[in-house]
Amino acid sequence: MKKNPRYSIIRHAKLAESARVHDQVNLFGCKIGKNTKIDAFVYIEEDVVIGDNCKIRPFVFIPTGVTIEDYVFIAPNVTFTNDKYPRTDGNWKLLKTRVKKHASIGAGSVINPGVTIGENALIGAGSTVTRDIPDNAIAMGNPARAVSYRRSLEEKP
Ligand SMILES: CC(C)(COP(=O)(O)OP(=O)(O)OC[C@H]1O[C@@H](n2cnc3c(N)ncnc32)[C@H](O)[C@@H]1OP(=O)(O)O)[C@@H](O)C(=O)NCCC(=O)NCCS
């Protein structure tokens, strides 16, 4: 890990030694895996787990309840969410989100709470994901829908 990223707040986070964390990040109580890169201006909340060999590009927000498996690419300005009916007062219900291994999420996408993005799926830039996305799907739009499928990890040479 880069020692003492500048202008950053990192509290109670478990970062693999080989994780690369750039300046100006906020990391609270999360777990970051081996060789994963966290770019500048990323904000990650408590109990988020990010696997090995991921790339989290600048200006990404990842709240509590999100799990990201290995080899996942999160493009700039992706916003995850965890509360379907947000308000300032009263109780709220945490909905968990999972991004399975080798998935990629295009720039500026919004991930509604409680969805699973399938293994090796690709989410087009600017999408809003409101439902689960199947493994290997290329999905795009608002709401995001699968428009095609790419070769599965097993089929890849
Ligand atoms: C989704 C994606 C993979 C599709 O790529 P593609 O299969 O080569 O598709 P094309 O560019 O040929 O476009 C096919 C159609 O889908 C539309 N389309 C492409 N990307 C779209 C998107 N993100 N959202 C909505 N529609 C999209 C195109 O307008 C086109 O429609 P048309 O036929 O009516 O003109 C790609 O456009 C994309 O969004 N990639 C993510 C980019 C990104 O965020 N990278 C992050 C690293 S910086």
Side-chain angles (χ1 to χ4, degrees):
M1 184 192 127
K2 183 175 174 182
K3 302 298 173 206
N4 302 319
R6 291 176 302 164
Y7 311 113
S8 297
I9 302 173
I10 300 178
R11 288 203 191 114
H12 309 299
K14 283 191 184 162
L15 309 172
E17 188 60 32
S18 55
R20 287 168 292 157
V21 179
H22 286 238
D23 295 335
Q24 304 185 99
V25 297
N26 282 208
L27 308 178
F28 302 102
C30 55
K31 191 173 168 206
I32 311 289
K34 289 184 266 196
N35 300 317
T36 283
K37 184 171 98 161
I38 308 290
D39 269 308
F41 303 104
V42 167
Y43 191 109
I44 305 178
E45 290 187 343
E46 286 82 1
D47 301 326
V48 167
V49 177
I50 299 182
D52 299 339
N53 302 299
C54 295
K55 283 189 178 167
I56 314 294
R57 302 290 282 132
F59 300 101
V60 169
F61 174 63
I62 311 179
T64 300
V66 175
T67 299
I68 293 175
E69 296 181 356
D70 298 344
Y71 291 97
V72 166
F73 182 99
I74 311 289
N77 280 299
V78 170
T79 300
F80 288 85
T81 59
N82 62 6
D83 180 7
K84 193 161 185 184
Y85 305 104
R87 48 184 290 170
T88 57
D89 56 344
N91 292 330
W92 65 284
K93 185 177 168 196
L94 176 90
L95 294 177
K96 293 189 175 177
T97 293
R98 178 178 175 202
V99 184
K100 292 169 83 174
K101 63 182 177 180
H102 289 272
S104 296
I105 301 181
S109 294
V110 174
I111 316 302
N112 267 18
V115 301
T116 295
I117 295 178
E119 178 179 308
N120 195 39
L122 171 57
I123 308 299
S127 300
T128 300
V129 178
T130 61
R131 300 275 182 251
D132 291 352
I133 302 296
D135 291 351
N136 307 306
I138 298 178
M140 60 173 106
N142 182 358
R145 295 287 183 253
V147 292
S148 60
Y149 287 83
R150 50 186 190 172
R151 280 195 282 180
S152 69
L153 296 173
E154 294 73 36
E155 286 171 318
K156 278 186 178 166

